[in-house]
Each structure stands twice: as structure tokens, then as C-alpha cells.
Amino acid sequence: MRAGPSQEDIRRHNLGALLRHVHLGGPISRAELTAKMGLNRSTIMALTSDLTAAGLVREELPRETGRAGRPSLVVRPESAKVYVFAFDVGPDRLAVARVGLGGVILDRKECVRDRDRFELDELTGTLSGFARQMRRKTREDTVCVGAAAAVSGGVRKGDGVIKFGPNLMADEVPFGDELARRLGLGLPVSVGNDANLAALAEHSRGVGAAVRDLIFLHGDVGIGGGIIAGGHLLGGHDGYGGEIGHMVVNPGGRACGCGSHGCLEAEVGERALLESAGRVAAGQHGRDAVRTVVAAADRGDIVAQEALSRVGDWLGLGVANLVNIFNPEIVVFGGILRDIYLGSAAQVRTQLALHAMAPQRERLRLRTSALGDAATLVGAAELAFAHVLADPLEVLARVTA
Ligand SMILES: [Zn+2]
């Protein structure tokens, strides 16, 4: 006979669940927690006392209830005291944020990156240098409880190695270990694919917060994706799943960085749009260049309109395939795809009407990212907080050691 969960297991689980409510939903009264978690008042009181003692939350009287009787205390995350470092390594930019419990961006730094080379030493040096500068500005009673990075590439499950990253020029790079060593915080650095993490960010605190089946398409130089099915991110056997950008939509089409032809990324990504719009010769690239084309189309520029329309057709075809297979409730367009979608929504909808099956299409909603360009960074922060939410006792032990 297998033993059931111990009292300690139950407490651990409940502490994590309560902290998750406060972290994702913001300040909440004890009475609301009692109702949401289905636990009795004394259990909620004991759990909030433990989390308060650990310095993870604090309890306050509500401002004005307007009701007679003793008001229920409000539980708030200790956003200014408990934080993580979130890193974002994109083709064109590096970003670091210090993010407080509750998802508050407390500090943020960004710089341009040269997309044509990947120097591990230089890159981790820049990122850890930014983090050190931020740390120097923090008060003494603050505590860093985790670190994680979003990278534009395929990340091996478990060890933070960037297995492939054609748009970063990275290949078999032990990124997580090296960044952890350079940070010197005594904390590991979790690493995830940027589009996967952006999908989780939109799912936990963005446009898909109440949605269980969501597909997120992230556009940067390439196209990435995250598929959330039944509330869980589909990672696949080795963690490389969800590479929506390499779904072939046009066999024999444009060459792709992955070695194949006609991938969604090759037909819809930055290069496809800028070439069709005749902007590559002018040396333009990056998010701003894409946004310039969308703006030109909006003003009536015929060449820009045709380029956007062509890209929108391929995008719609790709989305139709995804909708047929996964039957998502919403499809979210993020990064530069937000702009591309807004400029080509008619084409996307036409392709959906032609190729998506009616039952999957009927209740489908197309949305743009609520978190915008911060989605990848917010996703990295959520990855860094994940172990704290899974086991606040472990953090409690460390903080009070
Ligand atoms: Zn490809």
C-alpha cells in the first residue's frame, strides 16, 4: 500500500498555492483566499503567518470596506523585498530585469546586441554586469530568490544548454551554467526558449490568463511559438517542441536558417517582409524596420501593402494548420508578429476561412500580446519564481538560515 501525502507535503502544497494566488492575482483578502482555496479560516491564517514570517508576504488592514464588523486582512506580496533576475537574449538585444514577487519590474536595463556573432564570455559578462549594477542599488533587507533567462533558440531540458540557435549564432552552448558562474549568487540560472516563456507569461498574467488552450506566436528575427494545451506548455520529449516557425507552409519556398525551405519563419519572418518590401538593400533590419513597413502600408504605400499582404497569407495558412490540430481558444500574436498581424488581419482571416475547419474556427479568438515586448522577460521571471511557488518552505529555510 502506498502512503498518502504527509502533513508536511500538504502544508508545502498549500503554501505554494496561496503564494501563487498572491503572486499572480495581487493583493487578496484572507476571506477571498478562504473561498478560492476551499480551506477553512484557521488554515488560511496559519499559512499566511508562515509566509509572513518568511518575508514573502505581508498582511494589512484594508483601506475602507464600507461594511460593519471586523474587516478581513489583505495579503500582499513583498514585491520590494523578494525578487528574481530575469534575462532576455534576443538576436538584436540583451535585457535584464529585477522583478519583484507579484511580477513587478523593479529595475530594467537593455542594450543592443550584434546578431552576427555569439561570444559566451562577452555576453554573460554584460548580463552579469547589469545584474551587479542593479544589486548595488538594492536595500540590505532584499533577497534574490532565483534567476532565469529567455533565449532565442532551442534549450535542452534540464541543463540550460542552448542546443541550437541559428538566429543567435549559438550552437551547443552551456549558457545557464556559465551565466550562473558569472553572476556568483550561488543560484542556478534556469534557461528556456523565449517564445515558450512568452507563451507562459501571457497564459499566467497576460491576454490568456483565464484560458487553458492557447497558442502564442512570437516574432523577432525568426518566428517562435508556445503551445499551451489543457493549461500546460507542450515541450515534447527533449524540450524542443513548439517550433512553430519551422512548420513547412510552402514546400520548395524560401530558404530557412534551419536548413529547410518554406518554413513559416522563412515566409513570414523579418527577412521575408523586408525583402518583399524592398528594404533590405537599404540595410534596414530589426523590429523598428518591420514596424516602419507596417506603418508605410497603413499610410497607403503600395509596395509595403503588397509585402504585408503576402506575409499575411502565409501567416494565416500557418495559423489554420495549428487551429486544425490543437483547437485553441485563442491565438496570440507577439513581438513583431503583433504589428504584422494588425497590418494583415484580413489576409489571416481569409486563410483561416479557407483552411481551418469550421468547428475549430467557430469560437476561435485572435489576439495581440498584452505584455508586448516585455513578454519574454516576464516569462523568464515566472520561470525564476517557479521553484519558490512550488516550495516556499525551501526558500523560507534559506532566507532564515
Ligand atoms: Zn526552418
Side-chain angles (χ1 to χ4, degrees):
M1 205 176 86
R2 215 172 60 188
S6 67
Q7 284 300 314
E8 197 61 10
D9 290 340
I10 294 169
R11 178 168 162 249
R12 194 184 300 272
H13 172 266
N14 286 340
L15 283 169
L18 197 156
L19 192 58
R20 181 176 295 277
H21 276 295
V22 176
H23 172 65
L24 292 177
I28 180 169
S29 73
R30 275 192 197 171
E32 285 170 287
L33 282 167
T34 305
K36 280 196 175 197
M37 293 180 63
L39 298 169
N40 64 42
R41 282 169 54 194
S42 60
T43 305
I44 293 290
M45 198 172 88
L47 293 171
T48 52
S49 308
D50 284 350
L51 292 174
T52 302
L56 295 169
V57 303
R58 65 177 190 280
E59 293 183 279
E60 289 172 351
L61 279 168
R63 283 193 189 95
E64 191 60 63
T65 63
R67 273 186 297 174
R70 202 158 55 122
S72 178
L73 288 173
V74 171
V75 186
R76 293 174 180 277
E78 283 284 18
S79 302
K81 291 186 183 169
V82 182
Y83 70 91
V84 296
F85 277 117
F87 301 91
D88 185 11
V89 180
D92 290 332
R93 63 169 196 160
L94 299 176
V96 182
R98 200 165 69 80
V99 182
L101 190 67
V104 188
I105 295 181
L106 301 165
D107 201 352
R108 180 177 173 161
K109 276 182 186 294
E110 228 179 275
C111 71
V112 173
R113 173 179 180 265
D114 178 359
R115 66 162 70 167
D116 294 324
R117 64 201 186 94
F118 189 99
E119 296 287 344
L120 183 62
D121 232 36
E122 185 186 329
L123 207 128
T124 53
T126 303
L127 294 173
S128 57
F130 279 165
R132 251 190 304 283
Q133 286 173 27
M134 290 181 192
R135 235 168 115 71
R136 256 180 248 130
K137 289 193 286 178
T138 60
R139 296 197 321 245
E140 259 188 19
D141 62 348
T142 58
V143 55
C144 178
V145 293
V151 301
S152 175
V155 179
R156 192 157 66 204
K157 201 153 72 178
D159 66 2
V161 167
I162 304 176
K163 185 74 178 165
F164 57 90
N167 294 321
L168 286 181
M169 305 294 281
D171 192 17
E172 286 282 352
V173 178
F175 182 73
D177 285 351
E178 182 56 19
L179 183 55
R181 193 184 69 76
R182 295 290 290 256
L183 277 173
L185 294 171
L187 291 169
V189 176
S190 307
V191 186
N193 169 267
D194 57 355
N196 280 187
L197 292 177
L200 287 171
E202 292 291 347
H203 176 58
S204 56
R205 54 174 77 245
V207 67
V211 169
R212 289 179 62 75
D213 296 279
L214 167 159
I215 293 181
F216 180 86
L217 285 102
H218 177 70
D220 200 328
V221 174
I223 306 290
I227 297 163
I228 292 174
H232 298 284
L233 180 77
L234 295 184
H237 185 57
D238 299 304
Y240 306 132
E243 284 288 352
I244 291 169
H246 300 287
M247 171 171 57
V248 178
V249 289
N250 183 20
R254 297 168 56 94
C256 183
C258 73
S260 180
H261 284 78
C263 298
L264 188 69
E265 169 169 321
E267 302 295 350
V268 175
E270 175 195 307
R271 196 169 175 82
L273 180 70
L274 295 179
E275 276 185 10
S276 301
R279 309 248 169 174
V280 171
Q284 294 184 12
H285 63 76
R287 294 179 179 190
D288 290 344
V290 169
R291 285 169 182 155
T292 305
V293 173
V294 177
D298 203 35
R299 285 195 309 269
D301 180 322
I302 302 288
V303 178
Q305 280 177 350
E306 280 172 2
L308 202 54
S309 161
R310 180 184 179 283
V311 162
D313 279 338
W314 292 122
L315 180 61
L317 182 62
V319 172
N321 281 316
L322 293 168
V323 165
N324 287 340
I325 299 170
F326 295 103
N327 184 203
E329 185 178 340
I330 63 171
V331 172
V332 184
F333 300 94
I336 59 163
L337 276 186
R338 180 185 179 279
D339 306 80
I340 289 175
Y341 165 68
L342 289 175
S344 64
Q347 282 75 24
V348 172
R349 290 194 178 279
T350 301
Q351 293 300 321
L352 273 168
L354 287 171
H355 302 291
M357 298 168 78
Q360 284 93 320
R361 200 177 65 220
E362 266 166 13
R363 299 197 301 142
L364 173 72
R365 290 178 292 144
L366 304 178
R367 290 285 182 271
T368 53
S369 159
L371 300 166
D373 285 346
T376 47
L377 211 47
V378 171
E382 291 308 318
L383 178 62
F385 276 120
H387 75 105
V388 182
L389 301 178
D391 189 359
L393 287 180
E394 188 255 346
V395 178
L396 187 155
R398 179 145 40 89
V399 172
T400 53

